Amino acid sequence: MKAEDPMTTEIPAPRSRTDALACSLAQEAGAAAPQRPPSFAVALPAAAAAAIMAAFGVVVALVGPRPDFPSIIGEWIYIFKAAAMLLLAGGSYALVRAAAIPGRSVKPALALAPAALFLLVNALADRSGLPLSGVRPPLSVPLCVGMIVVASLPALALFLAAMRRGAPTRLRRAGFFAGLLAGATGALGYTAACVNDGAAFVAVWYVAAALIVAGIGAAAGPRSLAW
């Protein structure tokens, strides 16, 4: 009997329909793997970067930067505004991550304490004499709050989309945290245009605007984040 050439021996075909089905599913999974959507660990920081650019873009497009913006970037009042909103965004970011990852827990009071303390201390130490109603009453407050809310809406959509890559369970709470993060991001964008330089004004009205966006996020959460 003629020996088989080991170099030309064929691999046996699947022995049953079950084997054939398994092979077919494996091939389809392999082909689909490169097209998988990004994980939550990638989606959230990407959404944060896009949200910051979107917030500044909305503010510049709608009202433009304040005339002296280039000269005040190094001044304390602008550093205070930006630092306060970055602290609020940082605490909210930690809450969003925890809300989207089962088993992870972060206490809101602990996460938001740095921003709250920073805002409170600077508001109490403010000696600028600028009124809480802003430098252009009665327009300053509604313009500030309204612009922050508008600038936050693209950010809110991005953060809710990113959270869908995770596994949030308490959807209204998760939406609230996404809204708070979006509100802080929108407020950070508005610092480029805001001419109200009183620390108390920032502490009250920037935070009020962020809380409005958080409320929008809480209302949208159950529908937007449902599995």
Side-chain angles (χ1 to χ4, degrees):
M1 185 173 69
K2 187 177 180 179
E4 292 184 352
D5 184 350
M7 299 299 294
T8 61
T9 301
E10 296 182 357
I11 298 175
R15 292 173 294 179
S16 68
R17 291 183 179 180
T18 303
D19 292 337
L21 178 60
C23 289
S24 175
L25 291 174
Q27 290 174 353
E28 291 177 5
Q35 302 174 0
R36 290 179 60 189
S39 67
F40 175 67
V42 174
L44 183 59
I52 292 172
M53 292 187 289
F56 276 100
V58 169
V59 170
V60 170
L62 293 182
V63 296
R66 56 186 286 175
D68 59 346
F69 181 64
S71 64
I72 68 160
I73 292 179
E75 299 293 330
W76 169 247
I77 185 56
Y78 181 77
I79 294 173
F80 159 69
K81 291 178 183 178
M85 294 305 103
L86 285 171
L87 285 171
L88 181 58
S92 303
Y93 188 94
L95 294 172
V96 166
R97 284 190 62 199
I101 301 175
R104 177 168 294 188
S105 177
V106 176
K107 293 182 178 180
L110 186 61
L112 301 175
L117 184 61
F118 185 77
L119 284 164
L120 179 62
V121 168
N122 279 276
L124 292 176
D126 184 18
R127 296 294 181 268
S128 67
L130 295 173
L132 187 60
S133 58
V135 296
R136 299 173 183 170
L139 297 178
S140 291
V141 171
L143 178 62
C144 168
V145 173
M147 275 304 308
I148 290 175
V149 171
V150 171
S152 302
L153 296 181
L156 177 58
L158 287 165
F159 291 133
L160 290 174
M163 291 188 80
R164 288 180 62 86
R165 303 297 182 196
T169 53
R170 301 173 66 180
L171 303 186
R172 194 172 299 279
R173 177 185 174 93
F176 181 90
F177 292 150
L180 192 61
L181 177 54
T185 304
L188 179 63
Y190 186 63
T191 59
C194 182
V195 296
N196 296 287
D197 294 338
F201 183 95
V202 173
V204 173
W205 300 118
Y206 276 43
V207 172
L211 289 174
I212 291 173
V213 183
I216 297 172
R223 181 181 295 271
S224 300
L225 300 175
W227 295 10

